[in-house]
Structures are given as C-alpha cells and as structure tokens.
Amino acid sequence: MSKAKAYSAASATSPLVRTTIPRRDPTEHDVQIGILFCGICHSDLHTVRNEWSSVMATTYPCVPGHEIVGRVTQIGNEVTGFRPGDLVGVGCMVDSDHSCPSCRANVEQFCPDVTFTYNSPDKHLGGVTYGGYSESIVVDERFVLRVPANLESAGVAPLLCAGITTYSPIRRWGDIKGKKVGVVGLGGLGHMGVKFARAFGARVVVFTTSPNKKEDALRLGADEVVVSRNADEMKKHAGSFDFILDTISADHDINAYIHMLGLDGNITLVGAPETPFPVSAFALLFGRKSLSGSLIGGIKETQEMLDFCGEHNITTDVEVIPIQKINEAYERLLKSDVKYRFSIEMGSLKLT
Ligand SMILES: [Zn+2]
Ligand SMILES: [Zn+2]
C-alpha cells in the first residue's frame, strides 16, 4: 500500500481539504496512474454534500473525481495493454463482475456489481473507493482507457463523464447525419452534445432559457438557437425533430419538448431532475414518440468516443484551476458560472 495526496470532505457540510489516502500496490492486472487533470462533475458536488442519500448515501471521508487523465507510472506483471508513460483516462467506473449480462453486452455501467470510481465499496482495501482529486490512482487495466496524444489533456478529462454521457445516446439513436437534433441546455453536458451532434453531421438546434448563450451555442456548432421561454420561437419548431438530447437536471416541462418531436422521434434524458414529472401520454401516442434515459456508457464505447474525439479534434471547453480553488469552484458550479467544465490541474497538489 502507498499513500497519495488528495482532497477530501469529512462530512456533508465540510469543505474539501488536503489529506492523504491509501492506494493499493498494483496487482498483476492493475495500472498505476499519476493524475494530471481531473474534471469537476456535478455528481462530485452532489456526492460530497450527500444530496443523493436516498439512492447512494455518501461514506466519509469522500474523495470525488471521475474525469481522470494521467500517465501510467507502474504496471502489474500481467498487464498487456499499457506501458509506463502512456497517456490514459479513467471515468466513472473502476471495476465490475465481468460476467453478468450487462458486462457481456459491454454496458458495465448497468452491472449489479459495478465499482464506481468513488464512494463505492472498495474490493481491495475495504471502505470505499477514492476518486481523482488525488495525485494517483490504481485501476484494473480493463477500466483504463487510451487517450489520443493529439488532444490537450485538460480538455480530455471531462470527456470521461460529460463526453460519454452525451456521445452514447447519440450513437444509440443511430445515424443522425442530416437529421434535426435538439440539445436542451447548454452546460457541461449540453455543450458536448452540440459538438458530437455537429461532428456526426446533424442539423443542431440548441434550446436554452438564456438568450445570452446564443452566440456561444453558434460558436460551438449549433445551427440555430431557440429561447425556450419564447412561445413563438418554440411553436415554429413543433413536430420537427428526429432526436432531442435533454441535459437539464433542474425541473422543467418535458411535454414542451415531446411536442417538438416528429414521427418516431425520441427524446433522451441524461440529466436527472429531482422531482418526478408528469408526461402527457397523448403527446407520445400521436407520432409514436418515445422518451428514454441514458447513463454514461460502457468501457468499449468510451474508448470509441475518445478515438472519435482524437480523429475530430474534440475536447471539452474547460477552465483550468488549481486544487486549492476547489471549494470556490463548487460555489461557482452551483451558479453555472463556468464555460463549460472545470478541470483541476493536479500538479497543484504538490504546492500544498
Ligand atoms: Zn460525472
Ligand atoms: Zn457485470
């Protein structure tokens, strides 16, 4: 076992502070990674503050972070896919049972025995897993991803959660080339949805409540921006979409977006509003429309997404911060005051 510098929260009301955590020595299938960047996901904040206690209560101390990019520093004897020095990524999962139907179908995120990167029972050391707000991590090579060398690491980190969360449902829908695709919300998830939909050749329309996001949406690749509070603008697009990616996690009127769909249109949720919402059955029946959800993506698909990003030069728009600014960044995250994701430069841990 070794010790690693990290940032952790001691309780739901404590700030994140500098600490030291144990990391296991690499077993024969493990890869040890020196972390360069870790993105800040809204899930980190929810978990640190125990806001998802009804679904998965937080065990403290909590070290969040599941958008990890780093370099391999050491490998186990049996590791075949990686060598020291390789640029790699780790996302929301670090292990699974490798045998259930979900694992066999390459959707490990739905494995009943999945080990999430943080706040999940740690099979090796006991307690819970500790995430990427740390100088290093040790992960089974089957959950380590190759990062294309041409991409800038700070902007790659959030691809491991925000990227795959938006890439997966778009791919699942099918070939969106030439189709009309809507993206609801222009935050960490939404701005990636726009980039991917654009790269796959869709005609992209962004729905936003803030008119001042228009210019940015167009810059990111949207063809058109609709201010969702403007009933006239909304009306113009009714019944015209093939696919809509809904990235909003605040309460909102889902029926307004179901009405935007055309025949056989689908709206997929990737955000999780706290309160259940009413859905108009008639809105779905007329036009044979569907409403679905999607959760990150499997390891195989995550690698495919990273390779796609390498080919198309896609990264997340990030604001790089030192770890010392983490608590301030959380406050700003609550106000959506970031374009569009924070990426922590983990070398800053050495300064504390
Ligand atoms: Zn996340
Ligand atoms: Zn499984």
Side-chain angles (χ1 to χ4, degrees):
M1 211 168 66
S2 63
K3 297 234 173 244
K5 290 178 188 167
Y7 260 60
S8 79
S11 79
T13 51
S14 315
L16 287 148
V17 293
R18 164 87 161 74
T19 187
T20 305
I21 54 166
R23 291 295 193 195
R24 68 178 184 265
D25 294 325
T27 68
E28 62 267 38
H29 296 290
D30 280 338
V31 171
Q32 186 188 60
I33 300 159
I35 300 176
L36 298 170
F37 291 93
C38 184
I40 301 179
C41 174
H42 222 110
S43 310
D44 300 353
L45 192 152
H46 285 302
T47 306
V48 160
R49 300 189 176 176
N50 203 14
E51 288 167 355
W52 286 340
S53 56
S54 58
V55 198
M56 35 187 157
T58 305
T59 302
Y60 296 94
C62 172
V63 179
H66 60 201
E67 297 182 335
I68 300 164
V69 170
R71 279 200 191 277
V72 175
T73 46
Q74 203 184 324
I75 55 169
N77 293 334
E78 305 283 319
V79 169
T80 53
F82 301 95
R83 286 172 174 205
D86 284 355
L87 193 61
V88 294
V90 176
C92 304
M93 307 175 278
V94 288
D95 206 356
S96 70
D97 65 13
H98 307 285
S99 59
C100 75
S102 295
C103 286
R104 289 203 300 270
N106 295 311
V107 283
E108 300 87 358
Q109 72 270 35
F110 305 123
C111 174
D113 199 24
V114 65
T115 304
F116 290 111
T117 305
Y118 58 83
N119 196 42
S120 208
D122 187 328
K123 288 178 196 165
H124 297 266
L125 296 180
V128 291
T129 49
Y130 294 133
Y133 295 8
S134 168
E135 63 185 338
S136 67
I137 192 166
V138 179
V139 179
D140 185 301
E141 74 163 321
R142 288 172 290 190
F143 283 80
V144 179
L145 298 136
R146 292 179 305 279
V147 170
N150 60 312
L151 300 177
E152 198 230 326
S153 297
V156 168
L159 294 176
L160 277 308
C161 176
I164 186 61
T165 296
T166 48
Y167 178 92
S168 181
I170 290 173
R171 292 302 284 152
R172 186 167 171 73
W173 190 86
D175 185 5
I176 61 167
K177 192 161 194 235
K179 303 287 182 188
K180 189 169 173 183
V181 169
V183 176
V184 187
L186 195 69
L189 292 173
H191 97 289
M192 287 313 301
V194 171
K195 290 188 184 198
F196 286 131
R198 170 74 179 218
F200 283 116
R203 174 174 160 67
V204 187
V205 179
V206 167
F207 294 96
T208 175
T209 50
S210 358
N212 56 11
K213 284 195 175 168
K214 195 164 184 170
E215 215 168 289
D216 236 23
L218 297 174
R219 176 185 64 81
L220 290 162
D223 295 285
E224 205 175 326
V225 180
V226 173
V227 177
S228 55
R229 285 183 179 140
N230 183 325
D232 289 338
E233 274 189 50
M234 290 290 275
K235 216 170 172 181
K236 269 200 306 198
H237 291 271
S240 69
F241 284 85
D242 296 291
F243 175 70
I244 296 177
L245 185 70
D246 185 345
T247 72
I248 304 287
S249 47
D251 292 334
H252 61 293
D253 179 13
I254 191 75
N255 295 303
Y257 295 103
I258 295 175
H259 280 296
M260 294 292 127
L261 296 171
L263 178 63
D264 285 326
N266 169 267
I267 178 163
T268 297
L269 310 177
V270 289
E274 236 174 277
T275 328
F277 46 64
V279 174
S280 158
F282 276 114
L284 291 173
L285 265 54
F286 283 89
R288 208 165 48 190
K289 299 163 189 172
S290 60
L291 166 66
S292 354
S294 187
L295 180 78
I296 49 176
I299 292 299
K300 188 171 172 231
E301 193 174 45
T302 305
Q303 187 62 62
E304 179 195 303
M305 179 270 310
L306 286 170
D307 295 342
F308 181 84
C309 287
E311 280 161 37
H312 295 263
N313 220 0
I314 293 173
T315 52
T316 310
D317 287 22
V318 289
E319 177 179 336
V320 176
I321 59 159
I323 188 76
Q324 291 78 4
K325 292 232 164 130
I326 185 71
N327 296 301
E328 192 184 304
Y330 274 24
E331 291 313 311
R332 287 182 52 197
L333 191 61
L334 285 172
K335 293 183 267 181
S336 302
D337 175 24
V338 57
K339 283 184 176 172
Y340 280 89
R341 206 76 158 173
F342 288 110
S343 188
I344 310 165
E345 197 268 297
M346 216 43 81
S348 59
L349 254 180
K350 293 195 180 76
L351 306 174
T352 53

